[in-house]
Amino acid sequence: MGTQAVYKSYQQLEDEDSERYLKKQADIIERRKARIEAEGHKCTVAGCGQAFKEIFLLRSHINDHNEECRKSMKCNQGKCAGLKFTNRREYNEHVDMHKEEARLKIINSIRSVLLYNKHGLLMEAFEREFRGMTGKQVPYKLLGFNSSYDLVTNMPDVVQVTHLAGGQTLLLAVPDKATEHIAKMVGNQRTNREGFNYRTGEVLASVSRDVIRKIEKTVEGKTREVPEFMKKQVGQLVQLDTFEEGLDLQEFKEVYDQEFGYPLEYQCYGFYSLEDFVFHGLDGVVEIELDGFSWKIGQSGVKKAAKTPKVQEVTSEVKDNVKKLLDENPFGVSTPTFIKSYEECFGKLNLRQLRCKDAVELCFLIPDVCDVNKAYCGDFTILPAGYQIEKETSDRKMCPPLWVLGEVKNNVWKMLRTLSFGVSLPAFEKGYEGYYGTINMEQLQCKDMMELCRRMQDVCEVKMDESGQHLVRPVNKTGQEDSATINNEENGKIPAETLLNIKRVLVKNSNRVNLSRFDYKYLEIIGENLNHKRFGFSNLKSLLRSLDGNLFKMNWLAIDPAIKLLTGSENTVVEPDLVMECVVQAGWVSVMKVVSPGLIYLQMEGMTEKVKNMEDRMDHFYTEEKAGQKNKPEQLHVGLAVAALSSDLSWHRGRVLAIKEDREVAEILFVDLGQRALVKMDTLRCLDRQFRDLPMQAVPVGLCGLTGFGCERVWGREAVDVLRDIVERGKGRAWVQKRGKMGDTVEVDLFMKSQRNGLKWGPGKMMMINQELVDKGVVEVVTGHRTGVLDRAMMIEGVSVPGMADRDLQRLILARLVRIRREEDG
């Protein structure tokens, strides 16, 4: 039987490469040190070769050479071969020539380092990259500057310095004529945040798009030419059978991303918009055709059969939605109100897809559903089909559009349709302003509310009661029903699992939740947000409105309407909750689960036997007796206490953390183990009353006085691994001492027997895990934190020696064991 192949992870290979590199560099340094110790620092000036033990002596010697050459007017550069001058002016001009050559060389080096970075380099990365490319530090002193920053800020023709909002300095190359073609090629590259210069990419990923645009404008070189490989990609894309009729321009970018796995960054090539890219960059590759009110991309050079003009038909879904909208507003609405109400109730109204210029043209295409009335001023009013318009008694030029009074009528009709009695005129006016705002009487050409109500005789009537008070009452019309209810079965957009989750929320909250609190309650009970956009609704109110009358009932006239579960959908009796409180005391514990230094689940050793006995009774109850009631799907909610099977096929107490309805599983926290798992919902059982009295035994705690690097409570992977290794080597047994409470987390000091201690029980040599993590350099200590001290007296009293109950004898034995250990160490 052959040996099994062992594959290393990417991180392991990276670590091995890093170790080899560091070892190689260390060897080079050692060889260099050995050579210098044997030969010393040699002078490189031609004809000298003198060696020195210290580097400062060599530098002083070279300065002497330079001073001697300056006095004798001799050039010390190698290519001049000791050229000597008899005129001081000629000598100085020759030296200036060498300085200029050195300056140009430095400029070329700086430009070459920055040029191949599309969005530049951070100042901190620039110095490292310069040293890596040239093998030398940035020679700012040679050019008379005090730092690299002073050097680059005084070279605007070479480097563009940009200061970012986070305080970082970004350096961008300014190309010259010789390097302009390289800058264009780099500018046309696809944007990539990865690579060796990770730090710069990380910073640029956090800046806004406006900053990136400014950087791109600073760096010229966009050719407005599309690479050949991209032209081939687009050509292959439009040749797919799926897009035989053409690819919609608005969908082109998304389809490209899905097909090739990276975004279409047309800005990189100098184009300002997607339309600019397609019309000018892909000319000759694709053909653009106007299909209705949208552009479509097709194959270039392919002859298409002439299309016969089709009469545009509006889908039945849109017709039904418009009809429902006008049933809710039977006296007409303006065009802006029509679009706003439609999108609130049914989602985005895509007029381009319907090949309509505006909402008015859409309404003209469905005369069996609505009518359109045009006022003298040019405003349109959208009315239900068959609406009888009253004849105008005054000058038509002076009459406002029908929607001005019509929208007020709609509001009044909605207010009064649920009332069978009258309300006083002042109360009615105040209530209207509370729901819909102040009425513009001047626009309605009315003096006061009394005159307005008398103009709306088809909606309301004003009567005087016995006390002389004017009452506003709805006009009773036979067959007038509330047609605003939208049947979800006809809509068919909302899946059954979402309806079940909504029912869970109402059942958990006594069958009633206010609209303003529904989002919060849904997240609290279900464990995730209700994404109304996923089902095509613009907001939560429109989604719930589509279910009104089917699952629950709402009073939409209220400022904050209450959502009430319909009669017959109520829940059964809710079981009492599980006792969650468990006091953390000083004592020996078992470490059940390590999530991070800030979250560790402990179980007190004194409770271990109780937990085991309870779980044995649970196995007998749920497995052998097959007792226990199944949880109904609508009863499941976040926080519910359940009995669940773990991976050891034993029953344990759990609490629901989240419900994954699409996968028919629930995320469960086993409250006595501190572990999480996804469990099938049909295997969950109601937690019987006899198993609820014992508080949860996996107590969540955090190590006191520690914090992760950088941001508080953000723990590095190394810190978690080190902590788990310490716990594993200590066999999960530790001594805990409570320090305080930070928010909902109990902070503790955790001690564990040192691995060097050979004692079987007792305090021995204990190490503090908090301090051990700090010593290993994987966490930091919070400023002002005082290190805890092990309470050995309490720990000795709490030690349990098998077979010995007498405390004095117990202390005697422990003292003897400690003395023996000290003698062995001595």
Side-chain angles (χ1 to χ4, degrees):
M1 186 174 181
T3 58
Q4 186 177 2
V6 178
Y7 297 97
K8 296 181 180 179
S9 65
Y10 176 80
Q11 187 60 44
Q12 289 175 329
L13 295 174
E14 285 288 316
D15 293 341
E16 290 178 0
D17 288 343
S18 178
E19 289 178 4
R20 283 195 294 268
Y21 173 78
L22 294 176
K23 184 179 179 182
K24 180 179 178 182
Q25 295 300 316
D27 293 340
I28 293 173
I29 293 173
E30 289 297 327
R31 289 197 299 269
R32 185 179 300 165
K33 287 181 178 179
R35 180 175 58 80
I36 291 174
E37 288 178 359
E39 301 177 2
H41 300 279
K42 289 186 177 181
C43 178
T44 57
V45 176
C48 182
Q50 189 175 350
F52 301 88
K53 291 184 178 181
E54 301 295 338
I55 188 67
F56 72 90
L57 296 175
L58 173 64
R59 290 174 181 171
S60 177
H61 176 74
I62 292 175
N63 289 336
D64 293 340
H65 275 300
N66 293 335
E67 186 64 27
E68 182 182 349
C69 291
R70 193 177 298 110
K71 290 180 179 180
S72 61
M73 293 186 290
K74 184 186 296 183
C75 180
N76 60 358
Q77 298 297 314
K79 65 179 183 179
C80 292
L83 181 63
K84 190 172 182 180
F85 294 87
T86 57
N87 189 310
R88 176 64 64 178
R89 181 177 180 180
E90 291 180 358
Y91 172 77
N92 290 337
E93 290 177 352
H94 184 77
V95 171
D96 291 339
M97 180 192 71
H98 281 302
K99 287 183 178 181
E100 182 63 20
E101 289 177 355
R103 191 184 74 84
L104 293 176
K105 186 176 180 181
I106 294 171
I107 288 175
N108 290 335
S109 300
I110 293 174
R111 188 177 276 128
S112 62
V113 170
L114 296 176
L115 199 59
Y116 61 82
N117 292 278
K118 182 177 180 179
H119 290 140
L121 277 175
L122 293 178
M123 187 71 202
E124 58 193 73
F126 163 70
E127 294 178 337
R128 184 174 62 252
E129 295 301 325
F130 188 94
R131 184 171 63 252
M133 178 175 288
T134 63
K136 301 177 182 178
Q137 299 286 351
V138 180
Y140 53 84
K141 290 185 178 180
L142 181 63
L143 299 180
F145 296 99
N146 295 323
S147 64
S148 300
Y149 178 80
D150 291 341
L151 172 64
V152 296
T153 51
N154 285 277
M155 302 173 67
D157 56 334
V158 179
V159 182
Q160 174 69 42
V161 181
T162 303
H163 299 284
L164 303 179
Q168 301 91 350
T169 301
L170 186 69
L171 307 181
L172 302 162
V174 179
D176 56 3
K177 290 185 178 180
T179 57
E180 190 175 6
H181 65 289
I182 300 176
K184 288 181 179 180
M185 289 190 293
V186 173
N188 287 335
Q189 289 178 350
R190 185 169 65 87
T191 300
N192 189 6
R193 304 291 184 211
E194 301 172 355
F196 68 94
N197 188 22
Y198 177 78
R199 174 59 183 160
T200 303
E202 186 180 33
V203 171
L204 291 177
S206 62
V207 301
S208 64
R209 184 61 192 166
D210 293 337
V211 176
I212 297 296
R213 288 197 187 100
K214 290 179 182 179
I215 294 173
E216 290 177 347
K217 287 181 181 179
T218 302
V219 184
E220 298 296 334
K222 301 294 190 300
T223 60
R224 287 182 61 84
E225 293 182 2
V226 181
E228 288 298 324
F229 82 92
M230 183 167 285
K231 291 182 178 180
K232 291 180 180 178
Q233 286 180 332
V234 176
Q236 295 170 3
L237 196 62
V238 297
Q239 290 176 9
L240 296 176
D241 295 337
T242 310
F243 308 116
E244 185 177 357
E245 298 296 327
L247 174 60
D248 192 280
L249 182 62
Q250 302 302 321
E251 300 175 356
F252 172 55
K253 189 175 179 181
E254 182 179 355
V255 171
Y256 183 94
D257 189 1
Q258 293 175 354
E259 183 69 21
F260 299 107
Y262 48 85
L264 177 63
E265 297 176 338
Y266 49 82
Q267 299 95 338
C268 299
Y269 307 110
F271 298 98
Y272 302 105
S273 64
L274 183 61
E275 290 79 4
D276 183 26
F277 171 73
V278 175
F279 278 93
H280 300 98
L282 299 178
D283 188 23
V285 180
V286 297
E287 288 186 354
I288 311 297
E289 180 184 5
L290 186 62
D291 185 14
F293 286 93
S294 62
W295 291 100
K296 285 198 172 181
I297 304 172
Q299 300 182 43
S300 178
V302 177
K303 294 183 179 180
K304 298 182 180 179
K307 294 183 179 180
T308 56
K310 294 181 181 180
V311 179
Q312 177 62 23
E313 294 183 0
V314 181
T315 61
S316 58
E317 181 183 2
V318 175
K319 285 184 179 181
D320 292 341
N321 293 341
V322 173
K323 186 176 185 305
K324 292 172 184 176
L325 178 62
L326 294 177
D327 287 344
E328 184 71 12
N329 300 275
F331 301 100
V333 292
S334 64
T335 306
T337 303
F338 174 82
I339 297 175
K340 179 182 177 182
S341 301
Y342 187 99
E343 294 186 347
E344 283 183 354
C345 295
F346 311 107
K348 182 69 175 176
L349 178 61
N350 194 337
L351 293 171
R352 282 198 170 193
Q353 190 175 1
L354 297 170
R355 297 187 180 184
C356 296
K357 180 181 178 182
D358 51 27
V360 175
E361 184 175 347
L362 170 65
C363 294
F364 277 127
L365 292 174
I366 46 177
D368 55 330
V369 176
C370 59
D371 291 333
V372 179
N373 178 266
K374 184 178 181 181
Y376 183 82
C377 62
D379 281 3
F380 290 94
T381 303
I382 301 173
L383 300 158
Y387 183 85
Q388 297 297 325
I389 303 175
E390 297 179 2
K391 294 183 179 180
E392 299 168 356
T393 56
S394 58
D395 187 2
R396 183 170 180 266
K397 295 182 181 180
M398 301 298 294
C399 289
L402 293 180
W403 63 263
V404 175
L405 181 61
E407 291 188 356
V408 177
K409 283 184 176 182
N410 293 330
N411 297 337
V412 173
W413 176 69
K414 294 172 187 176
M415 285 181 63
L416 297 177
R417 63 181 176 177
T418 58
L419 302 177
S420 58
F421 53 88
V423 295
S424 65
L425 188 62
F428 172 76
E429 185 174 4
K430 185 177 181 181
Y432 186 97
E433 291 178 353
Y435 285 126
Y436 304 108
T438 306
I439 300 176
N440 190 342
M441 293 294 181
E442 184 179 354
Q443 188 181 22
L444 293 167
Q445 299 178 358
C446 295
K447 295 180 181 179
D448 51 21
M449 180 61 75
M450 175 68 76
E451 184 179 353
L452 175 61
C453 291
R454 286 174 176 170
R455 285 189 60 186
M456 301 187 295
Q457 297 180 4
D458 51 345
V459 178
C460 62
E461 58 183 4
V462 181
K463 297 290 184 181
M464 186 178 294
D465 63 1
E466 297 176 355
S467 62
Q469 187 180 23
H470 290 95
L471 300 178
V472 181
R473 298 188 303 183
V475 175
N476 294 324
K477 292 187 177 181
T478 57
Q480 186 176 10
E481 300 292 340
D482 182 6
S483 59
T485 303
I486 302 173
N487 192 340
N488 182 63
E489 294 178 359
E490 296 176 0
N491 196 342
K493 292 183 179 179
I494 304 175
E497 56 266 22
T498 303
L499 297 177
L500 188 59
N501 288 339
I502 293 175
K503 186 176 179 181
R504 287 193 182 105
V505 175
L506 296 175
V507 168
K508 183 63 177 175
N509 291 276
S510 303
N511 303 328
R512 174 175 177 154
V513 180
N514 285 77
L515 180 62
S516 61
R517 300 280 294 168
F518 191 85
D519 260 334
Y520 171 76
K521 291 294 183 183
Y522 191 95
L523 177 62
E524 181 183 15
I525 303 300
I526 306 303
E528 61 184 11
N529 289 313
L530 178 57
N531 187 356
H532 51 80
K533 293 185 178 179
R534 172 185 171 193
F535 310 120
F537 295 93
S538 60
N539 54 39
L540 175 64
K541 184 177 180 180
S542 61
L543 183 149
L544 295 176
R545 195 164 188 171
S546 69
L547 302 174
D548 188 15
N550 185 29
L551 180 62
F552 49 77
K553 186 65 178 175
M554 296 179 67
N555 180 14
W556 296 103
L557 295 178
I559 297 176
D560 187 11
I563 307 168
K564 300 179 182 179
L565 196 65
L566 290 177
T567 305
S569 301
E570 292 84 355
N571 189 26
T572 57
V573 179
V574 179
E575 290 291 334
D577 203 357
L578 178 66
V579 180
M580 296 298 293
E581 183 180 2
C582 186
V583 180
V584 179
Q585 300 176 346
W588 289 100
V589 295
S590 297
V591 181
M592 308 301 293
K593 177 74 173 179
V594 175
V595 179
S596 70
L599 180 57
I600 305 172
Y601 287 95
L602 308 178
Q603 186 181 103
M604 305 300 295
E605 283 195 349
M607 302 300 295
T608 305
E609 193 65 27
K610 292 184 179 180
V611 174
K612 184 177 183 303
N613 292 335
M614 181 191 64
E615 291 178 347
D616 289 341
R617 289 189 289 114
M618 289 180 67
D619 284 335
H620 180 75
F621 182 80
Y622 290 107
T623 303
E624 297 179 16
E625 295 183 0
K626 295 183 179 179
Q629 185 181 1
K630 280 190 176 183
N631 282 294
K632 294 181 180 179
E634 63 270 18
Q635 290 178 323
L636 288 178
H637 59 83
V638 173
L640 179 68
V642 296
L645 282 170
S646 181
S647 56
D648 59 357
L649 300 181
S650 298
W651 289 94
H652 301 278
R653 300 188 302 171
R655 180 174 289 274
V656 178
L657 296 180
I659 300 171
K660 313 290 184 182
E661 193 70 47
D662 53 341
R663 298 165 58 186
E664 298 183 352
V665 297
E667 185 178 358
I668 304 296
L669 169 65
F670 292 101
V671 296
D672 299 319
L673 305 177
Q675 299 174 358
R676 299 187 180 195
L678 293 176
V679 182
K680 286 280 188 181
M681 289 194 293
D682 56 2
T683 65
L684 298 176
R685 297 291 184 270
C686 294
L687 189 63
D688 197 71
R689 292 176 181 270
Q690 59 180 311
F691 307 122
R692 294 174 180 267
D693 297 334
L694 187 68
M696 60 174 287
Q697 294 303 308
V699 186
V701 300
L703 297 181
C704 183
L706 302 184
T707 179
F709 291 106
C711 190
E712 186 177 4
R713 292 302 180 191
V714 177
W715 308 102
R717 185 65 196 173
E718 188 178 1
V720 178
D721 291 340
V722 170
L723 177 57
R724 287 176 177 171
D725 181 63
I726 293 173
V727 171
E728 184 178 354
R729 287 189 284 115
K731 299 182 179 179
R733 189 169 186 262
W735 175 267
V736 65
Q737 290 179 188
K738 182 178 177 181
R739 290 291 299 275
K741 199 169 184 181
M742 181 68 70
D744 296 333
T745 304
V746 177
E747 293 195 326
V748 299
D749 287 333
L750 207 59
F751 300 87
M752 190 167 281
K753 191 165 62 174
S754 174
Q755 280 70 32
R756 297 187 300 272
N757 186 2
L759 297 178
K760 295 183 178 179
W761 57 82
K765 293 183 179 179
M766 302 293 290
M767 69 174 181
M768 185 178 182
I769 295 180
N770 310 46
Q771 189 61 40
E772 188 73 11
L773 295 177
V774 175
D775 294 341
K776 290 183 178 294
V778 294
V779 296
E780 290 181 339
V781 179
V782 176
T783 305
H785 171 71
R786 291 189 302 172
T787 305
V789 179
L790 177 64
D791 191 344
R792 293 185 176 273
M794 183 180 294
M795 185 169 61
I796 291 174
E797 292 180 1
V799 173
S800 176
V801 181
M804 298 183 182
D806 186 78
R807 181 172 295 178
D808 294 334
L809 181 60
Q810 179 180 342
R811 290 180 177 177
L812 181 62
I813 293 175
L814 288 175
R816 180 60 179 167
L817 290 172
V818 171
R819 189 157 52 249
I820 292 173
R821 180 60 180 171
R822 287 175 178 173
E823 290 174 358
E824 291 177 354
D825 292 343

